Amino acid sequence: MKKVKHILARKGSNVIAVAAATTVLDVLKLMADKNIGSVVVTENGGYAGLVTERDYARKIILMGKHSDDTTAGEIMSNGLPHITPDSSIDDCMLIMSERNIRYLPVFDREQNLCGIVSINDVVYETIHSQKETIEQLHSYIHT
């Protein structure tokens, strides 16, 4: 069974992070620049939460706030489920579906952030795994 560590090995464990005091406008510019849908928010040098495009839509636009005078810390999502590199892809899919979330932070045993997994990562890994299974079955049938 594929695990989160397989996703991190493929995509890397680099995360884009901003301080909680960063304006939402600067966060959006960074996300557009890097073509990503979320950034890690840090406080006192540690993980505090994530800011996603969904956070922006729901907590800035719909609330009538302004991106240039609101901080990442004010709109970040926190309290997200924690997964580890040894978590299964199936578990990630279940958590994401049940909680209706698109991103999961990955923490090691010492509770250090070691990556972010998106729903796209999970779907890609699932499709890749199914293709491998199909190829193995074809090989088995033809031998």
Side-chain angles (χ1 to χ4, degrees):
M1 176 175 290
K2 293 283 185 163
K3 300 197 178 285
V4 169
K5 63 185 167 189
H6 296 108
I7 291 175
L8 296 179
R10 176 182 48 80
K11 76 177 238 177
S13 58
N14 292 342
V15 295
I16 306 298
V18 298
T22 306
T23 66
V24 172
L25 183 60
D26 287 339
V27 170
L28 292 172
K29 288 177 183 176
L30 179 63
M31 288 167 54
D33 227 22
K34 302 287 185 185
N35 194 31
I36 55 177
S38 70
V39 295
V40 170
V41 179
T42 60
E43 276 185 313
N44 302 319
Y47 171 84
L50 292 177
V51 170
T52 68
E53 294 164 326
R54 185 182 281 182
D55 290 321
Y56 173 71
R58 293 181 180 180
K59 298 173 185 173
I60 297 290
I61 299 296
L62 291 178
M63 302 305 278
K65 295 182 178 183
H66 297 281
S67 304
D68 53 356
D69 63 7
T70 305
T71 66
E74 293 176 67
I75 69 162
M76 70 182 175
S77 295
N78 51 23
L80 295 171
H82 288 202
I83 58 171
T84 69
D86 288 323
S87 297
S88 74
I89 301 300
D90 289 345
D91 286 344
C92 291
M93 198 176 306
L94 183 64
I95 291 167
M96 290 172 152
S97 295
E98 286 178 345
R99 300 278 301 265
N100 194 28
I101 55 178
R102 296 177 179 148
Y103 302 94
L104 286 172
V106 183
F107 293 90
D108 63 18
R109 292 178 191 198
E110 290 79 37
Q111 292 303 304
N112 298 312
L113 182 68
C114 58
I116 300 291
V117 173
S118 72
I119 189 68
N120 287 344
D121 297 329
V122 171
V123 168
Y124 177 87
E125 199 64 41
T126 301
I127 290 169
H128 184 70
S129 182
Q130 289 175 347
K131 283 182 181 179
E132 284 179 349
T133 301
I134 290 168
E135 288 172 6
Q136 290 171 355
L137 289 171
H138 276 277
S139 177
Y140 175 75
I141 291 171
H142 291 15
T143 56

